[in-house]
Amino acid sequence: MRYKVAEAGALTEGGRLIVSVRGMELGLFLINGKYRAWRNVCPHAAAPVCVGMVTGTRLLSNVYEYEYGLDRQVLRCPWHGWEFDLATGRHLAGGAAKLRGFEVEADDTGIYVVLSGKE
Ligand code: FES
C-alpha cells in the first residue's frame, strides 16, 4: 500500500523531510534525482539517524593521497558518527549495518512511500 508523504516537488536535490507513515518515522531524501526513504532509526543504537548531517566523505585512496567524494550523499548519525550512503543505505565501513529502506514513488500528485504490510 502506498502512503502520500509529501506534495510533488516538495524536495529539491539534496533535500530532506522527516515524515511519518503508520506511526513510523522516515527520512525522505532526494539524492542524485532519486527519492529514498530510510527508517529514522540508526542500526547501531537507535538514534534518529535521518536528522544527522548530510555530507561527503574521504574515499579509499593511496597513502598520502586525500580524495573527497560522495558529496551530499553521506548521512552521518548524530550520536556516534556512523556514516551511511544515502543511495544504498549501507554503512560506509562495510559489514552488515544498513539503514532500513522503503520504496518511494513520485508523480505529479505527490510523493508516496510504499509499505508491504509487514512493517
Ligand atoms: S546510534 Fe547511530 S552511530 Fe550510534
Side-chain angles (χ1 to χ4, degrees), residues 53-61 66-76 81-86 90-93:
M53 178 187 296
V54 176
T55 183
T57 193
R58 189 175 144 194
L59 302 176
L60 288 176
S61 57
Y66 180 89
E67 189 177 350
Y68 182 80
L70 299 175
D71 190 34
R72 291 177 280 167
Q73 192 180 317
V74 174
L75 178 64
R76 184 176 299 151
W82 282 24
E83 294 181 322
F84 301 90
D85 184 335
L86 278 168
R90 295 194 183 288
H91 189 289
L92 290 190

Side-chain angles (χ1 to χ4, degrees), residues 2 4 6-10 35 104-112:
R2 68 183 212 163
K4 187 172 183 177
E7 297 297 329
Y35 291 102
V104 181
E105 296 175 354
D107 57 31
D108 50 1
T109 65
I111 304 169
Y112 301 85

